[in-house]
Amino acid sequence: NNNTNNTDFYIRSMHYNPLGDMISACPPTDWRSPSVVEQYTNITKNLAATYNISYIDTNIVVSPVWDSQDDWCHFAGNTGMKAAIAEAQYVIGKLYNLI
């Protein structure tokens, strides 16, 4: 969206973080569990709608592989690179209204 100073501003969904030892601990020592991330995503989506900011939901690309990496977190190796490229292509497609 263009605001009064012609700056494009977008909000992107937050990625899930895998259920590692910190998130699965009792009590958790990391707040980024899938249910909390979903709530943050809902909040950012609602803020984007309220303030007429373009929202890009990358979960359509990232969700199927969110826990598939060797370290359960960072896109790495062949699978990670493919996921990162797919996400980048998706975001670019959204930015230029190609999708």
Side-chain angles (χ1 to χ4, degrees):
N1 291 339
N2 288 330
N3 61 21
T4 56
N5 65 0
N6 295 324
T7 301
D8 291 337
F9 187 77
Y10 299 84
I11 296 177
R12 178 185 64 80
S13 58
M14 184 176 173
H15 292 169
Y16 288 125
N17 210 45
L19 301 174
D21 57 342
M22 292 170 44
I23 291 173
S24 298
C26 186
T29 57
D30 188 319
W31 60 270
R32 296 172 295 171
S33 67
S35 58
V36 174
V37 168
E38 285 179 12
Q39 291 306 311
Y40 271 91
T41 295
N42 289 337
I43 290 168
T44 56
K45 194 181 296 186
N46 288 335
L47 285 171
T50 299
Y51 293 102
N52 197 29
I53 299 170
S54 296
Y55 181 80
I56 301 175
D57 187 355
T58 60
N59 285 321
I60 192 170
V61 177
V62 178
S63 290
V65 294
W66 71 277
D67 63 349
S68 65
Q69 299 309 305
D70 290 340
D71 71 351
W72 286 66
C73 194
H74 302 96
F75 290 142
N78 191 34
T79 302
M81 183 60 69
K82 288 179 182 178
I85 289 170
E87 182 180 26
Q89 289 172 331
Y90 182 79
V91 169
I92 289 168
K94 286 294 197 179
L95 292 175
Y96 289 99
N97 296 315
L98 302 172
I99 304 175

